[in-house]
Amino acid sequence: MKKIILAGLLTTTAVMAEVKTVTPYIGTINYDSSSAKSIKDKAKLVGFYSSVGDLNYLLEFSYGYTQINYKDGTIPDLKQHDITLKYGKFYKSFAWSAGLHYINDNETGAIKDLADGYTGILGVEGYKWFGYNKLTYGVDTYYSYYRHAFNDTSRTSETKVGVLQISPKIMHSKAFSINTKNTISLIGNFIKANDYKNSSYSSFEISDTLGYKKFYTTLKYNGGEMRSGVKDGGFTVYNTKDLLKSAYTAKVGYYFTPKLEADISYAKNNYQEYYATTLVLLPEGTSSIAVISMSYSY
């Protein structure tokens, strides 16, 4: 997988008096050791997320840099920059959000896939309170547009590739006590990519976060099939034709103070890497991602 999973790095700004949050992160990706399953070797990633918001709005910004090394030393390292800007507006029982994710990289030659592109973000959600418990439901819509890409049937000339994704979601948060809270969420992802030979893909994500005093842990599972998709509310975009299958993610975090938090996450992914040179999916392989982040609010 070319893109990184930011899940868990995006610290949600508390809905109260205006709060600013900054979250730097650093991580590594290890691709399948078999050359038959992945032409990539390792990757490093670094970036930050920031936000400012209050009871009425939330403005979010993120920047990420990824550098991928290939097993074949004659292939230049891939260097990619991701920039995301998103704005959300809150009302009594619903909210909406809109944003844009921009990708710029140096893909060229035989390994070039989707390369540079833009993803528009639009979401709406409603919520209901039951005492201290909260039910949230809604849908996010994404449209990714790659101006100078290749589809999966020809490399004779560059073309425009568009990918539409609709992701309904539901989340329930329950407070068991003043010290213990649990949040479970379910997200569906439905992708339509008319420029691909197989144009429809569907997948799901289920996660559970348990918080106890200053500690919290998140377990997440992804299933189904996703291709050129979007995750994490638009902050993660896969500008590749890799076929993502199952993934397992675990994260542990600790609040040193109410304003300072750190976490570490690890993900194991099963996927088929797209080999742009021959327009085929390689045999199923695995990759692993480890990320450390720290968040400060003020």
Side-chain angles (χ1 to χ4, degrees):
M1 298 185 327
K2 181 194 287 186
K3 281 304 287 113
I4 43 176
I5 299 180
L6 289 176
L9 302 182
L10 308 181
T11 306
T12 303
T13 302
V15 182
M16 54 178 73
E18 188 171 81
V19 175
K20 300 177 179 67
T21 301
V22 178
T23 306
Y25 66 87
I26 188 171
T28 61
I29 307 175
N30 289 301
Y31 297 96
D32 203 290
S33 59
S34 171
S35 296
K37 298 179 179 180
S38 176
I39 66 170
K40 302 181 183 75
D41 184 20
K42 296 181 180 180
K44 61 182 179 181
L45 52 104
V46 64
F48 71 94
Y49 163 87
S50 64
S51 69
V52 57
D54 58 20
L55 280 168
N56 299 309
Y57 80 99
L58 180 65
L59 180 62
E60 302 171 278
F61 174 84
S62 76
Y63 168 77
Y65 173 76
T66 308
Q67 181 170 330
I68 297 176
N69 309 116
Y70 293 89
K71 293 184 175 72
D72 184 347
T74 64
I75 302 176
D77 293 349
L78 186 145
K79 300 177 181 180
Q80 179 164 301
H81 305 269
D82 286 73
I83 297 174
T84 309
L85 183 64
K86 186 176 179 181
Y87 177 81
K89 182 69 174 176
F90 303 102
Y91 300 91
K92 184 176 180 180
S93 59
F94 75 97
W96 62 265
S97 60
L100 182 69
H101 185 124
Y102 171 64
I103 296 173
N104 176 272
D105 67 25
N106 65 335
E107 274 190 341
T108 57
I111 65 167
K112 183 177 177 180
D113 194 355
L114 295 176
D116 299 353
Y118 299 86
T119 297
I121 305 165
L122 183 63
V124 62
E125 63 183 35
Y127 32 85
K128 293 183 178 180
W129 288 91
F130 304 92
Y132 293 105
N133 306 321
K134 184 181 181 182
L135 176 67
T136 304
Y137 48 89
V139 61
D140 292 318
T141 301
Y142 311 101
Y143 184 76
S144 299
Y145 177 68
Y146 302 94
R147 299 172 296 169
H148 306 290
F150 292 102
N151 59 30
D152 59 352
T153 59
S154 174
R155 289 190 61 82
T156 57
S157 62
E158 293 181 348
T159 186
K160 298 178 178 65
V161 172
V163 181
L164 174 66
Q165 178 176 324
I166 298 176
S167 299
K169 59 186 179 181
I170 187 169
M171 177 174 67
H172 184 260
S173 298
K174 182 175 179 61
F176 294 99
S177 69
I178 193 172
N179 293 318
T180 307
K181 180 181 179 180
N182 190 76
T183 301
I184 186 168
S185 68
L186 176 64
I187 301 173
N189 301 299
F190 303 94
I191 291 173
K192 190 67 173 177
N194 290 326
D195 298 294
Y196 297 166
K197 182 169 57 177
N198 296 321
S199 61
S200 299
Y201 301 89
S202 61
S203 62
F204 68 91
E205 173 187 302
I206 184 168
S207 67
D208 187 86
T209 299
L210 178 64
Y212 177 70
K213 293 185 177 180
K214 295 183 177 182
F215 289 92
Y216 71 89
T217 181
T218 299
L219 299 176
K220 183 186 298 182
Y221 174 75
N222 294 83
E225 293 185 337
M226 171 180 278
R227 199 175 197 189
S228 307
V230 183
K231 291 183 179 179
D232 308 318
F235 288 89
T236 299
V237 176
Y238 295 89
N239 60 323
T240 173
K241 296 191 231 20
D242 293 349
L243 185 63
L244 310 183
K245 295 186 174 180
S246 60
Y248 303 85
T249 305
K251 181 177 72 172
V252 177
Y254 180 78
Y255 283 90
F256 297 95
T257 71
K259 296 183 177 181
L260 180 64
E261 174 262 341
D263 63 63
I264 181 170
S265 64
Y266 178 82
K268 191 76 171 182
N269 307 284
N270 298 306
Y271 73 108
Q272 286 183 265
E273 187 172 297
Y274 178 73
Y275 189 26
T277 302
T278 57
L279 306 175
V280 299
L281 290 169
L282 300 178
E284 184 172 327
T286 62
S287 68
S288 60
I289 305 173
V291 177
I292 297 175
S293 72
M294 181 168 288
S295 178
Y296 178 71
S297 299
Y298 59 97

